[in-house]
Every structure is written in structure tokens, then in C-alpha cells.
Amino acid sequence: MRSPVRVWTKALAAAVTAAALSTPLLAGPAHAAPPGPPGPTASTGGDGTWTVEPVGGGHRVTLHLNTPLPVRDAVPELAADGRSLGPAEESPDGMTLTVVTPDPAVVTASSVDVAWNGEVPEATAAVTGRAAPTPAPAPAKTHGKPAPAPVDPAAPGSYVVTHDEYDLGDTAITLEGLGGRQAEIRAKVYLPEGARGRRPLVVFLHGRHSACYNPTAWTTSNTQWPCPAGQQPIASYQGYDGPADVLASHGYVVVSVSANGVNAADNPYSEDRGALARGEVVMRHLDLLADADKGVGDAKLVSLFKGRLDMSDIGLMGHSRGGEGVVKAALMNAGRARPYGIRAVLPLAPTDFARATLPGTPMAVILPYCDGDVSNQQGQHFYDDSRYAADGDPAFRSSLMVMGADHNFFNTEWTPGVAHAPASDDWSNRNDPVCGGTAPSRLTAAEQYAVGTAYIAGFFRLVQGGEQGLLPLFDGSGGTPASAGRAVVHAVAQAPAGRRLDVAPFTSLAPSTRVSGSATAVVCAGMLGRSPQSGLPSCASTLTTSQAPSWTPATYANNVASTPVLRFSWGDPTGTVTVPLDKPDQNVSRYDALTFRAARDETATGDVDLALEIVDKRGASQTVRVSEVSDALTAFPGTVSPLPKTWLRTVRVPLSSLTGVKPQQIGEIRISGASRKGAVYLADLAFTTMTAGEARTGGLPQVSVEGATVDEGDGPGTATMTVRLSDESAVPVTVQIQTIATGAAPVVASVAQEVVIPARSLEASFQVPVNGDTAVASAPQSYQVVASVPVNATIGGGFTRLVVNDDDAS
């Protein structure tokens, strides 16, 4: 006889308070429940009921919420006694979360809560309303004096800007990524009046926010599209007027598209939380715009765009899940026989659930330090994973950490006081000394919007417009725009392959690298022991997943190793890592600077400093302390997860400052401890000349993983699966494959492996262990298999299924 279901009822303050909200929020450092108005059918608080039910080989944990789950970009999880059980299945109405787990401890758990990014919010009530708080002024930047950029990216151009919209209806597109469900084609348009000829195009895509709201009850909903009776769509696509107007005034055409239909269906109905669907939306708009430019298609679009668009010069900006969406769109475009010219991609506070790479396309990732939604800044993976993803990559890429900024306030329609629908601050702990509403270092909503305007407009003006005076905002040299006010923005960057000499990427330790004195130097990757197959120890040994952007595990690549770096520690100043330069590389005079990324190890205490010694072939040397040129080894602020962050910052030594050595004869680089003791992370040691680079659309084959169906068997066995390339590659292609085990007694394991497709081959096979048994199952078991982080290829079809049939007679 089956055991009875055990039911607990508890005042789930954190979970239920969070569940009462339906704007895209995440809790703050103490993980307080985010603020916001209630859902359309419930109050702002109440009890939640959770159950633990025995199922074959494990237990099904279900949390029934009295009000719908808040609409956020992070993936909801369930946690038992504060420990995350992993991503949860969300019911279409947002009222139920379910996880099936083999963990027997859930039977005796004293609490079941909603978790986000691996952590459970605490029950801290938060304030919301129609006006954002006004914090006190922030302290000055701690290192150096920011250098003003020669061009202010937010300064208006010479063109008058005209606003317009086009709307083909709420069900104008059917999306494969949502299982055939429909969504709208709607956009706001920004046009430069009088601009002659075909103009560069920039497309904006907003992120995951509630789709609908009731203007009378001041409530939101996100479970039905089109909106239910009495409700109106939330116009998230109208929230980027600042950067759009600036760009249009400089001659760009900007189109900001709506994706409410995706938001209302992505969690329960998509394989990848809506990335494919959002990419489809962007590509459909590009197709419509291309037709309209030719005078074909919808009359309104033709009237707006005929003869006005340069479809070989396109930029994409995506906010939050929209950031992952525009990366997916760029990859979809590259897989077309006749792709558009996507020249620049900017993911803004993005999700990166499956770790796709984007080589060959200039990219800037913007990360808000006080992000209370995507609190683990997982979008950093876009930068880290793409750095060495293709040989000869011509693209420039940058990642920026915006201090004092939250997730929402880059969009006015997500900002209280200016939004037309309910909105709130996603950083909900109002008393936090770093990111709370009155913290001196927290930016006001207006200040944050100004920063977003400057850097969004600046990136596209730099890459598409060739305005080199904007490069210092992105290249790590410390340039700041006047329009960003008091904001502190840290930038790291990688120059195009042809404009840099990689001395030591530190993704592995070269045999020629010498470690001497009191030093220990070990390459680490990932965190929490998630990637044993890599053979590398974990980085971030004492951090939570919300404190380590480079190493936080991805939702669909949980065991794939991330961002190998060198962990260098020393017990006295004799500890040294010496990196020699090969003879052909010793003339570095054509480069501008020696650069690398660094961060203090989270276990280090006291002052931590490094000495960088550049030695030429004559034996002459010059030493620079990191503290003299960078604040990379100064700890970021905060004391409670998700703060502080460990994030590798730029160390840049201009070659013009190295007067004691000959740049034509550099023999080796020595990195030593300049403090009594210490530990740091190091990456990407290179001589560089920064430029905006160029795009190479469609220059790489695409790799896809193919599904399979196998019989379970009666014991240990394997399922053979295949990865396939769209075209042959002259060099080997590697791709990481993650198998995701779900259910109470899965016959596969959640494991990752690297698969190599040999040069000149189109496919390779790999095996997934399958542990069969003689028990009778009720139905075939289906498991996700995900491809990620390819090298010398990009992702085509990254998601598939392994179906295991039960072959035991009933």
C-alpha cells in the first residue's frame, strides 16, 4: 500500500510574501521577500501548504501558494530546510511549484520555501509604491580619478526624433519555443527625421515582467495571453526612451519590441525558459522590417521603413531574459543561409541559463551590482565563455559592473513613480548598507536610467558608428561619461584576436610557467565541486552561488566547468609565478598595454597586493604594483549574500609607462606577492591594443545535439547520442554536454562531459550511462540533454531529449 501523503501548513512568510507579488523581483542580501502589488486573485500575504508524497524511488515535493508566484527572470526553485532542491516545475497558473527528488531528507524537513538563485529569501517585509526612494550621495570611487571620455554617449545628435508604433495584434506570431503558442507583434519606433539613405538599425527586447495589469485594482497577472477581461498589457517595450532617443538623434533607427506573450508562457511551456521564443520574436521583427524596407508587407511598416534600413548593420539590446533572447537571435541569424548583418549585441542584466557562446560578434554585458532578480549576475558567463571560443575571433567584448544599480530601473515601465503599471525595486532589503534604498552607494532611479542611457547608446555608437572616443567606457582604461554622474562602473574587456598577444590565459598552466618561492599556483574552475569531470578543483570555496558570477552554476549546465582561472597564493614576497614569452612574441612594441584580470580570493585577509615585473632579454626590469594602477584587489562592498561579489577586474599597465625596459625584447613576466601574504584569482594575461573589432556573422559551424530513444534494460548500460555540425570545421570542435536527471528515481544522472568533433568531421557520438532495472514503470522517462560552451562552433539546436522506455512487463 502506498504511504499516505504528509501535509504541513506553515506561515511561509518569505515564500508567500514573495508569491503575492507579480512584478519581476528578487530579494536582497538578507533575501527579503520582494515588494510589489498582489496578484490578481489574492492578497499580499497568507499561508502556503506544502506536501511530500512518496513516488517510485523518491518523493514529490509540492508547494501550493495562495497567490501566484512573482514574475521574475530568475528560475524558481524549491528549498527544504533552506537547501535548494533545484529548479521547480511551475504550474501554468503560477500557484504551484513541484520538485521530484530522490533525497529522503525531505520527508522530515521542517520547512519548504521558494528559493531563487540557490538561496531562500528571508521574511523581511518590503515597501513598494508609486515612488522610488531617494538615497543619499555615494562615496567617491576608491582608486584613482576617473578620466572623462572624450565623447559623452548620451549627448543628443543633430536629428529630431519621431516616435511611432506598429501593431499586428496579440496573436500575430506562432512560436516553436512555446510549443506553438501565440504572441504579439508590437513595437515602438524611433526615427531620425531627415536622415538620408539606409540607416543602421538597433532592436531592443525587454525581459520577463508581468504581461497584464488591472488599472483599477492595481494588480498584475502573467498566466494568460492575450490579457483577461478587465486587464491591459503592460507596455514594457516602451521603457527605453532614453537610449533609443539618443541613438535616433544620431541617425539610428531604433525598434523596441514587445514580448508579453512569451512572458506569460515561458516558464511552464518552454524547454529553455523562453530563450528560443524570444529569439524567434526578434527574428520575426527583423524579417518584417527587411520586407518593409523593400516596400513589401504591412502598409504601416512600409510607410515607416521603406528605403530607410541597412539590414547589414544591426545592433541588438536585450534586458534580463531578453538578454539571453538577443544572444539566441544572433545565433539563429548566423545559422541562416542569408543572415542579416548583426554587428553588436548588448545583454543588459541578462540571464544565461544554458551558457551559449557568441564569438564573432562585438558584445558588452552590463551587470548591476545591486541586482535583486538575477542576483548571481549569471550573464557574466556570456563574456567568460566567449573569450576563447573561436580561433582568430575578430570581435571585441566587454563586461561592466554598475555599482549601485538594481535590475529593474533601466526600464521606466519597471520603475515606481514613472511606470504606468505596478512596478517596484527588485532589491528589497531597504536597510542594506550597500544596496538598500537609502544607502549612500545606491543610485536613484533617475541616476541609474542615465547610466543605462549612456552605456547602451555608447556601445552601439562605438561599434556600429565607429566613434572611437567612446572606447574608454568599455576597454577597462577607466573612462567615464559626464552623463553617468556619480555612478561607478568597472569595465573589463578583451581585444580582438588580431590585436592582442595572449601571454597566459590561465585557463591551464603551461609547462613553461614557473612557480617559485612561497607560491602555490593552481588552476581552478566552477564552484561547490559541481564539475569533477574537469579534473580541476573548485574556485570560490566559501562563496554562495550568488556571490561568484564567473562560477555560478547555470540552470541547464549545472555540472559544466566554468571560467578556469589561476588561484595564486603566497606566504611571503618570494612567491612568484613567472611566465616566459616565446621568442617570436618578444617584440610587443605594437601593443598599447599589458592587461590581465584579477580578484582577491574570498579567503584572503588584510591588504592584498601584487607586484608585476616586466623583464627584457638584457635583464633589465620594471616593477609595477597592482595597487598603483588598479583597484582590482580591493574587496567589493557587502557582508551578506548575495554581497559581496568576487568579480575579476582589470589591471592595465600602459606600455608607455614602461621606460626601464625595451618593448622589442620582453623576455618574461613575473607576478609576485607585494603584501606579506595573500591569495588572488588571475586570468587573461595579454598584451593588447583595444579596438571595437568587427563582426563575423556566420563564420563558424553550428553544433546541435540530437535526441534519442532507448530501452531501459535490466542493469547498467548506455544510450548513444550524437552531436552534429552544420558544416565541416578545419579544426576540432569541442562542446559540453549536460544530462539533466529529473524525477524520484532517475535512470540517468545529472552529469556533464566534453565531446570532441574531429576536424573535417560532421558528427561525433557520446554515451549517457543508463541504469536499468526490473521494476515496472508507468511511462517512458524523458530527460533533457543540453549542449553548451562550444569551442570553434556556436550552438544551433542546444536542447533535446533522451527518452528511456521501460522494457519490463507489467
Side-chain angles (χ1 to χ4, degrees):
M1 183 176 71
R2 193 178 70 170
S3 301
V5 177
R6 298 185 65 192
V7 180
W8 290 261
T9 299
K10 164 181 185 280
L12 298 174
V16 174
T17 303
L21 311 175
S22 51
T23 46
L25 308 169
L26 184 62
H31 283 265
T41 60
S43 65
T44 58
D47 293 335
T49 301
W50 52 279
T51 64
V52 177
E53 180 181 5
V55 294
H59 296 84
R60 178 183 293 110
V61 183
T62 304
L63 177 62
H64 303 278
L65 300 167
N66 289 343
T67 50
L69 193 74
V71 180
R72 291 153 53 160
D73 295 273
V75 173
E77 306 164 21
L78 281 185
D81 290 335
R83 181 176 52 84
S84 176
L85 302 174
E89 180 179 344
E90 181 180 345
S91 63
D93 62 2
M95 296 293 292
T96 303
L97 293 177
T98 304
V99 168
V100 179
T101 176
D103 186 353
V106 298
V107 175
T108 57
S110 60
S111 65
V112 171
D113 300 286
V114 179
W116 305 93
N117 298 315
E119 298 185 67
V120 178
E122 286 186 356
T124 302
V127 179
T128 186
R130 304 187 183 211
T134 303
K141 190 174 180 180
T142 57
H143 177 83
K145 185 177 181 180
V151 177
D152 193 316
S158 59
Y159 294 103
V160 174
V161 179
T162 299
H163 292 181
D164 211 322
E165 293 204 12
Y166 61 86
D167 186 352
L168 304 187
D170 286 340
T171 58
I173 182 174
T174 300
L175 298 171
E176 176 188 347
L178 295 182
R181 287 166 178 81
Q182 294 178 315
E184 75 275 22
I185 291 293
R186 181 173 297 125
K188 186 168 183 177
V189 178
Y190 306 79
L191 295 168
E193 284 190 13
R196 296 183 178 180
R198 287 182 162 84
R199 312 304 303 175
L201 170 66
V202 181
V203 176
F204 291 172
L205 175 66
H206 66 83
R208 192 170 192 264
H209 191 87
S210 292
C212 308
Y213 80 108
N214 184 318
T216 302
W218 203 244
T219 57
T220 63
S221 69
N222 198 54
T223 60
Q224 181 179 328
W225 185 259
C227 292
Q231 298 196 28
Q232 301 175 11
I234 295 177
S236 294
Y237 68 102
Q238 296 180 354
Y240 304 106
D241 282 358
D245 281 339
V246 169
L247 286 168
S249 74
H250 284 271
Y252 298 76
V253 172
V254 182
V255 177
S256 184
V257 306
S258 180
N260 281 333
V262 179
N263 287 344
D266 56 355
N267 271 8
Y269 298 118
S270 69
E271 191 85 6
D272 59 4
R273 307 287 173 164
L276 172 59
R278 290 180 173 88
E280 290 179 276
V281 169
V282 171
M283 293 307 298
R284 179 56 178 153
H285 278 274
L286 290 181
D287 289 341
L288 290 168
L289 295 171
D291 285 345
D293 174 70
K294 299 172 186 175
V296 177
D298 180 80
K300 178 61 179 289
L301 273 75
V302 170
S303 69
L304 291 172
F305 301 116
K306 183 177 180 180
R308 302 191 70 172
L309 302 179
D310 183 353
M311 301 302 291
S312 68
D313 189 359
I314 298 171
L316 303 178
M317 186 282 286
H319 187 181
S320 204
R321 287 200 193 183
E324 193 165 13
V326 296
V327 170
K328 183 62 177 177
L331 294 173
M332 295 170 68
N333 177 69
R336 288 188 170 190
R338 299 181 65 182
Y340 300 117
I342 295 177
R343 295 184 55 203
V345 174
L346 191 156
L348 172 64
T351 60
D352 183 7
F353 296 140
R355 291 183 58 192
T357 57
L358 191 63
T361 304
M363 176 173 59
V365 180
I366 297 179
L367 306 172
Y369 190 72
C370 298
D371 195 323
D373 186 341
V374 188
S375 61
N376 55 14
Q377 276 98 356
Q378 59 189 262
Q380 176 65 26
H381 286 313
F382 284 130
Y383 177 89
D384 289 338
D385 291 342
S386 299
R387 291 169 301 148
Y388 305 112
D391 296 335
D393 189 344
F396 159 88
R397 58 188 51 87
S398 179
S399 184
L400 304 104
M401 184 70 76
V402 183
M403 307 304 290
D406 76 350
H407 188 84
N408 285 353
F409 291 176
F410 295 106
N411 184 323
T412 53
E413 291 304 316
W414 295 4
T415 304
V418 290
H420 293 90
S424 55
D425 181 357
D426 52 279
W427 188 276
S428 59
N429 184 347
R430 298 295 185 260
N431 298 318
D432 182 73
V434 176
C435 293
T438 59
S441 54
R442 179 64 192 272
L443 300 178
T444 66
E447 287 173 325
Q448 179 174 330
Y449 198 71
V451 174
T453 294
Y455 281 87
I456 294 169
F459 179 67
F460 294 114
R461 289 177 60 187
L462 168 64
V463 177
Q464 292 180 266
E467 297 186 57
Q468 294 302 309
L470 293 166
L471 188 60
L473 305 184
F474 301 93
D475 67 3
S477 63
T480 58
S483 57
R486 68 187 179 100
V488 175
V489 180
H490 300 279
V492 298
Q494 184 188 46
R499 305 300 296 273
R500 74 175 194 270
L501 170 65
D502 292 323
V503 178
F506 291 133
T507 55
S508 61
L509 204 57
S512 59
T513 299
R514 306 190 302 274
V515 181
S516 58
S518 66
T520 300
V522 177
V523 174
C524 63
M527 64 189 307
L528 304 177
R530 298 286 182 93
S531 307
Q533 81 288 346
S534 71
L536 299 175
S538 289
C539 306
S541 57
T542 65
L543 298 180
T544 70
T545 59
S546 288
Q547 294 175 300
S550 288
W551 304 303
T552 188
T555 300
Y556 295 112
N558 192 44
N559 304 110
V560 175
S562 56
T563 319
V565 299
L566 186 70
R567 187 182 186 274
F568 170 52
S569 60
W570 63 96
D572 61 56
T574 66
T576 302
V577 171
T578 302
V579 182
L581 275 69
D582 294 335
K583 189 172 182 179
D585 297 331
Q586 292 175 354
N587 183 356
V588 299
S589 59
R590 64 187 180 277
Y591 299 105
D592 290 341
L594 176 63
T595 63
F596 61 97
R597 290 194 296 157
R600 61 186 288 147
D601 184 285
E602 69 278 4
T603 63
T605 58
D607 292 335
V608 174
D609 202 2
L610 290 173
L612 186 69
E613 185 180 8
I614 299 92
V615 185
D616 68 19
K617 295 298 290 182
R618 302 171 302 152
S621 67
Q622 186 166 343
T623 300
V624 178
R625 284 190 174 223
V626 165
S627 59
E628 296 171 344
V629 295
S630 172
D631 58 6
L633 300 180
T634 303
F636 274 130
T639 57
V640 180
S641 183
L643 304 180
K645 308 292 183 182
T646 292
W647 188 74
L648 286 81
R649 283 173 267 176
T650 295
V651 179
R652 184 177 188 274
V653 180
L655 260 64
S656 61
S657 69
L658 301 179
T659 57
V661 294
K662 286 191 173 183
Q664 297 84 1
Q665 301 178 4
I666 301 300
E668 60 187 28
I669 309 296
R670 300 170 186 164
I671 303 174
S672 305
S675 51
R676 186 176 64 83
K677 63 179 181 178
V680 298
Y681 298 110
L682 301 174
D684 307 328
L685 181 65
F687 287 96
T688 63
T689 297
M690 287 294 179
T691 68
E694 60 185 32
R696 184 174 59 192
T697 302
L700 295 171
Q702 295 202 317
V703 60
S704 299
V705 57
E706 298 183 348
T709 300
V710 299
D711 289 336
E712 174 191 74
D714 295 335
T718 59
T720 298
M721 302 186 72
T722 301
V723 288
R724 194 176 304 278
L725 290 179
S726 59
D727 295 293
E728 289 184 358
S729 171
V731 295
V733 168
T734 63
V735 62
Q736 306 299 318
I737 301 295
Q738 173 81 56
T739 306
I740 302 175
T742 53
V747 298
V748 304
S750 287
V751 294
Q753 59 181 299
E754 182 175 276
V755 178
V756 179
I757 304 175
R760 305 299 179 189
S761 296
L762 284 173
E763 64 181 64
S765 62
F766 63 95
Q767 279 68 49
V768 177
V770 177
N771 294 315
D773 56 39
T774 58
V776 178
S778 58
Q781 303 299 305
S782 179
Y783 303 99
Q784 279 187 310
V785 180
V786 182
S788 65
V789 202
V791 175
N792 294 319
T794 58
I795 292 294
F799 283 74
T800 193
R801 289 275 172 171
L802 170 61
V803 178
V804 182
N805 288 324
D806 180 55
D807 55 3
D808 299 302
S810 57

